[in-house]
Amino acid sequence: MKIIDLVNKLGLEILSGENGLNRTVSGGYTSDLLSDVIANAQENNIWITLQTHKNVMAIASLKDLAAIILINGNKPEEDTREQSNIENIPILGTKGNAFETSAKIYELLNNE
Amino acid sequence: MVEETISLQYKIDGGDFKKAGYASSQIKKRLQKLNIHPKVIKKIVIALYEAEINVVAYAYDAVIRIEIGNETVKVKIKDNGPGIQDINQAMEKGYSTASSKIREMGFGAGMGLSNMKKNSDKFDIKSKINEGTEINIINYRINIKNENN
Amino acid sequence: MEVKEVVSILNAKVICGKQYLDKSVDFGFASDLMSDVLTLDADNILLITGLSNLQTIRTLEMSDICVVILARDKKASKGMIELAIESDLLIIETEKSMFKTAGLLFEAGLKSVY
Ligand SMILES: Nc1ncnc2c1ncn2[C@@H]1O[C@H](COP(=O)(O)OP(=O)(O)OP(=O)(O)O)[C@@H](O)[C@H]1O
Ligand SMILES: [Mg+2]
């Protein structure tokens, strides 16, 4: 499944990095601990988090993640958006929480 | 009815993450013995615990004072510490100066102060740079027995 | 959903609070940040987290949450177990990720708090 499909099916808001929306998602990773994401997220995972800290983009790029979903209506800072546009790694937004967002993506990826 | 006030006092040290929450836990146990409604207890201890974590994360030490009266439960947390430069900014959801160590401990989302306010019927915070921060919280007391009256 | 059902769906390990396996939970919540958990209002919440330290247990205690799933193969320390027993809490460990744990439990009927 492509990121754009998840965006459409779940009504996610595209906050930045639009050029990366055609990447294929390999799975999901839900975490708010940066060190954990560095250690355990897999390539092309979509990362679900509450963290808006500027390091999230650096980590997404380091781990070659497909996209980041910010939950709870959180918004990235301006320099994080810029970085996302440069790296073509989309940042998406939802008002939902991590439990619900993760579960719905899990379901969509599983029924592919 | 005679106004009876129970006063409790605890000292907390900055920097000691292992002990954070001990005072809040003791106070919770004490409140539970007094017939106070669990929803009210939850509000009080959540605000207190957030305050305790902030002291551990940002200040040197602090004193917590609780006054449990017939009508209200008052909580004062007064710390010695760096103080807060801009209180309005600190109260904003998402604003945080937490170190990466604090973030890896499960805090530093910038939600604590606003959550303290949410859990208080009256909330007041004042701070002096290089001296410290003082938070005063008042919650109205609702007793379990009075609930159905 | 009864906690024992959660345990069997995840094929998870119960570390303490076995006597409370009949308890029922309505809502799931997934977070590694305790300040996030501390903002919840609902009752009968089950917390899924990858944060395993004493503050995880303190947060449950203050929030009146009785059940925690430590995901990502995180282990409860001796100190955590002691605190949990003192407050009548259930600790469950699973090697599954938070993502997958949320997926499986939602599918089985656990609701979202908002
Ligand atoms: N007692 C204090 N002394 C000095 N600075 C403080 C104190 N309490 C809070 N602050 C400052 O205010 C900011 C916001 O505090 P708040 O509790 O809202 O969020 P946080 O502690 O950063 O994260 P969270 O509470 O979500 O874990 C802190 O990052 C810190 O800079
Ligand atoms: Mg705080």
mmCIF file of all heavy atoms in Angstrom, chain B residues 63 75-80 83-84 87 123-128 132-137:
data_model
loop_
_atom_site.group_PDB
_atom_site.id
_atom_site.type_symbol
_atom_site.label_atom_id
_atom_site.label_comp_id
_atom_site.label_asym_id
_atom_site.label_seq_id
_atom_site.Cartn_x
_atom_site.Cartn_y
_atom_site.Cartn_z
ATOM 1 N N VAL B 63 9.336 21.912 48.514
ATOM 2 C CA VAL B 63 8.476 21.488 49.625
ATOM 3 C C VAL B 63 7.033 21.465 49.108
ATOM 4 O O VAL B 63 6.595 22.378 48.423
ATOM 5 C CB VAL B 63 8.594 22.461 50.819
ATOM 6 C CG1 VAL B 63 7.586 22.102 51.894
ATOM 7 C CG2 VAL B 63 10.006 22.422 51.390
ATOM 8 N N VAL B 75 -3.119 22.621 47.755
ATOM 9 C CA VAL B 75 -1.781 22.069 47.531
ATOM 10 C C VAL B 75 -0.841 23.208 47.145
ATOM 11 O O VAL B 75 -1.172 24.014 46.271
ATOM 12 C CB VAL B 75 -1.804 21.036 46.379
ATOM 13 C CG1 VAL B 75 -0.404 20.491 46.117
ATOM 14 C CG2 VAL B 75 -2.768 19.902 46.688
ATOM 15 N N LYS B 76 0.297 23.274 47.826
ATOM 16 C CA LYS B 76 1.314 24.258 47.459
ATOM 17 C C LYS B 76 2.622 23.527 47.153
ATOM 18 O O LYS B 76 3.057 22.685 47.935
ATOM 19 C CB LYS B 76 1.524 25.242 48.615
ATOM 20 C CG LYS B 76 2.573 26.337 48.330
ATOM 21 C CD LYS B 76 3.085 26.997 49.615
ATOM 22 C CE LYS B 76 2.077 27.910 50.277
ATOM 23 N NZ LYS B 76 1.802 29.150 49.553
ATOM 24 N N ILE B 77 3.208 23.821 45.999
ATOM 25 C CA ILE B 77 4.514 23.251 45.663
ATOM 26 C C ILE B 77 5.462 24.417 45.445
ATOM 27 O O ILE B 77 5.283 25.208 44.531
ATOM 28 C CB ILE B 77 4.477 22.387 44.376
ATOM 29 C CG1 ILE B 77 3.387 21.334 44.465
ATOM 30 C CG2 ILE B 77 5.821 21.710 44.127
ATOM 31 C CD1 ILE B 77 2.185 21.592 43.608
ATOM 32 N N LYS B 78 6.457 24.511 46.312
ATOM 33 C CA LYS B 78 7.376 25.654 46.218
ATOM 34 C C LYS B 78 8.785 25.105 46.039
ATOM 35 O O LYS B 78 9.260 24.343 46.877
ATOM 36 C CB LYS B 78 7.262 26.454 47.520
ATOM 37 C CG LYS B 78 7.941 27.811 47.511
ATOM 38 C CD LYS B 78 7.621 28.503 48.842
ATOM 39 C CE LYS B 78 8.102 29.933 48.959
ATOM 40 N NZ LYS B 78 9.214 30.378 48.231
ATOM 41 N N ASP B 79 9.417 25.449 44.923
ATOM 42 C CA ASP B 79 10.753 24.906 44.699
ATOM 43 C C ASP B 79 11.845 25.959 44.710
ATOM 44 O O ASP B 79 11.592 27.153 44.539
ATOM 45 C CB ASP B 79 10.802 24.073 43.396
ATOM 46 C CG ASP B 79 10.739 24.892 42.103
ATOM 47 O OD1 ASP B 79 11.433 25.927 41.994
ATOM 48 O OD2 ASP B 79 9.990 24.471 41.199
ATOM 49 N N ASN B 80 13.049 25.501 45.005
ATOM 50 C CA ASN B 80 14.254 26.287 44.767
ATOM 51 C C ASN B 80 14.775 25.835 43.417
ATOM 52 O O ASN B 80 15.021 24.644 43.224
ATOM 53 C CB ASN B 80 15.317 25.994 45.833
ATOM 54 C CG ASN B 80 14.860 26.444 47.205
ATOM 55 O OD1 ASN B 80 14.502 27.597 47.392
ATOM 56 N ND2 ASN B 80 14.838 25.509 48.147
ATOM 57 N N GLY B 83 13.683 28.840 38.125
ATOM 58 C CA GLY B 83 12.523 29.661 37.811
ATOM 59 C C GLY B 83 12.142 29.542 36.343
ATOM 60 O O GLY B 83 12.841 28.901 35.564
ATOM 61 N N ILE B 84 11.007 30.141 35.999
ATOM 62 C CA ILE B 84 10.513 30.073 34.620
ATOM 63 C C ILE B 84 10.498 31.484 34.037
ATOM 64 O O ILE B 84 9.893 32.389 34.598
ATOM 65 C CB ILE B 84 9.091 29.470 34.577
ATOM 66 C CG1 ILE B 84 9.105 28.060 35.180
ATOM 67 C CG2 ILE B 84 8.553 29.450 33.150
ATOM 68 C CD1 ILE B 84 7.731 27.446 35.361
ATOM 69 N N ILE B 87 6.113 32.486 31.799
ATOM 70 C CA ILE B 87 5.119 31.522 32.286
ATOM 71 C C ILE B 87 4.052 31.212 31.228
ATOM 72 O O ILE B 87 3.662 30.061 31.052
ATOM 73 C CB ILE B 87 4.465 32.019 33.602
ATOM 74 C CG1 ILE B 87 5.506 31.880 34.725
ATOM 75 C CG2 ILE B 87 3.222 31.210 33.953
ATOM 76 C CD1 ILE B 87 5.058 32.333 36.078
ATOM 77 N N PHE B 123 -5.979 27.481 40.054
ATOM 78 C CA PHE B 123 -4.568 27.222 39.767
ATOM 79 C C PHE B 123 -3.822 28.537 39.694
ATOM 80 O O PHE B 123 -4.254 29.482 39.041
ATOM 81 C CB PHE B 123 -4.460 26.495 38.419
ATOM 82 C CG PHE B 123 -3.043 26.225 37.974
ATOM 83 C CD1 PHE B 123 -2.375 25.081 38.391
ATOM 84 C CD2 PHE B 123 -2.389 27.124 37.135
ATOM 85 C CE1 PHE B 123 -1.077 24.836 37.977
ATOM 86 C CE2 PHE B 123 -1.083 26.879 36.716
ATOM 87 C CZ PHE B 123 -0.426 25.736 37.139
ATOM 88 N N ASP B 124 -2.718 28.611 40.420
ATOM 89 C CA ASP B 124 -1.920 29.834 40.381
ATOM 90 C C ASP B 124 -0.440 29.463 40.335
ATOM 91 O O ASP B 124 0.012 28.597 41.067
ATOM 92 C CB ASP B 124 -2.217 30.665 41.636
ATOM 93 C CG ASP B 124 -1.394 31.935 41.666
ATOM 94 O OD1 ASP B 124 -1.619 32.793 40.792
ATOM 95 O OD2 ASP B 124 -0.501 32.050 42.531
ATOM 96 N N ILE B 125 0.300 30.115 39.438
ATOM 97 C CA ILE B 125 1.724 29.836 39.358
ATOM 98 C C ILE B 125 2.487 31.161 39.345
ATOM 99 O O ILE B 125 2.087 32.107 38.665
ATOM 100 C CB ILE B 125 2.062 28.978 38.104
ATOM 101 C CG1 ILE B 125 3.573 28.762 37.971
ATOM 102 C CG2 ILE B 125 1.482 29.560 36.818
ATOM 103 C CD1 ILE B 125 3.957 27.697 36.945
ATOM 104 N N LYS B 126 3.530 31.230 40.154
ATOM 105 C CA LYS B 126 4.415 32.390 40.069
ATOM 106 C C LYS B 126 5.861 31.908 40.139
ATOM 107 O O LYS B 126 6.160 30.848 40.696
ATOM 108 C CB LYS B 126 4.114 33.439 41.135
ATOM 109 C CG LYS B 126 3.739 32.930 42.500
ATOM 110 C CD LYS B 126 3.336 34.111 43.378
ATOM 111 C CE LYS B 126 2.887 33.660 44.753
ATOM 112 N NZ LYS B 126 1.451 33.359 44.820
ATOM 113 N N SER B 127 6.743 32.721 39.556
ATOM 114 C CA SER B 127 8.113 32.252 39.441
ATOM 115 C C SER B 127 9.074 33.427 39.440
ATOM 116 O O SER B 127 8.755 34.504 38.926
ATOM 117 C CB SER B 127 8.244 31.462 38.131
ATOM 118 O OG SER B 127 9.471 30.784 38.108
ATOM 119 N N LYS B 128 10.236 33.225 40.052
ATOM 120 C CA LYS B 128 11.293 34.243 40.018
ATOM 121 C C LYS B 128 12.559 33.596 39.483
ATOM 122 O O LYS B 128 12.990 32.544 39.974
ATOM 123 C CB LYS B 128 11.573 34.762 41.441
ATOM 124 C CG LYS B 128 10.745 35.945 41.842
ATOM 125 C CD LYS B 128 11.534 36.830 42.824
ATOM 126 C CE LYS B 128 10.712 38.019 43.288
ATOM 127 N NZ LYS B 128 10.087 37.801 44.603
ATOM 128 N N GLY B 132 13.073 30.462 42.135
ATOM 129 C CA GLY B 132 12.230 29.272 42.112
ATOM 130 C C GLY B 132 10.810 29.548 41.679
ATOM 131 O O GLY B 132 10.470 30.659 41.290
ATOM 132 N N THR B 133 10.011 28.494 41.752
ATOM 133 C CA THR B 133 8.639 28.534 41.251
ATOM 134 C C THR B 133 7.703 28.093 42.358
ATOM 135 O O THR B 133 8.030 27.187 43.124
ATOM 136 C CB THR B 133 8.519 27.582 40.038
ATOM 137 O OG1 THR B 133 9.469 27.994 39.051
ATOM 138 C CG2 THR B 133 7.127 27.590 39.441
ATOM 139 N N GLU B 134 6.542 28.747 42.436
ATOM 140 C CA GLU B 134 5.544 28.354 43.440
ATOM 141 C C GLU B 134 4.209 28.149 42.752
ATOM 142 O O GLU B 134 3.727 28.999 42.017
ATOM 143 C CB GLU B 134 5.414 29.448 44.507
ATOM 144 C CG GLU B 134 4.387 29.087 45.562
ATOM 145 C CD GLU B 134 4.252 30.165 46.652
ATOM 146 O OE1 GLU B 134 5.255 30.813 47.009
ATOM 147 O OE2 GLU B 134 3.117 30.351 47.121
ATOM 148 N N ILE B 135 3.636 26.975 42.993
ATOM 149 C CA ILE B 135 2.334 26.654 42.405
ATOM 150 C C ILE B 135 1.333 26.433 43.524
ATOM 151 O O ILE B 135 1.628 25.729 44.499
ATOM 152 C CB ILE B 135 2.451 25.401 41.506
ATOM 153 C CG1 ILE B 135 3.344 25.728 40.299
ATOM 154 C CG2 ILE B 135 1.073 24.930 41.033
ATOM 155 C CD1 ILE B 135 3.640 24.546 39.414
ATOM 156 N N ASN B 136 0.175 27.068 43.408
ATOM 157 C CA ASN B 136 -0.904 26.869 44.382
ATOM 158 C C ASN B 136 -2.138 26.341 43.683
ATOM 159 O O ASN B 136 -2.605 26.923 42.708
ATOM 160 C CB ASN B 136 -1.221 28.194 45.083
ATOM 161 C CG ASN B 136 -0.184 28.504 46.150
ATOM 162 O OD1 ASN B 136 -0.172 27.895 47.220
ATOM 163 N ND2 ASN B 136 0.718 29.425 45.833
ATOM 164 N N ILE B 137 -2.632 25.231 44.210
ATOM 165 C CA ILE B 137 -3.771 24.559 43.599
ATOM 166 C C ILE B 137 -4.861 24.374 44.645
ATOM 167 O O ILE B 137 -4.570 23.959 45.776
ATOM 168 C CB ILE B 137 -3.333 23.173 43.061
ATOM 169 C CG1 ILE B 137 -2.389 23.369 41.863
ATOM 170 C CG2 ILE B 137 -4.532 22.320 42.681
ATOM 171 C CD1 ILE B 137 -1.711 22.090 41.423
#
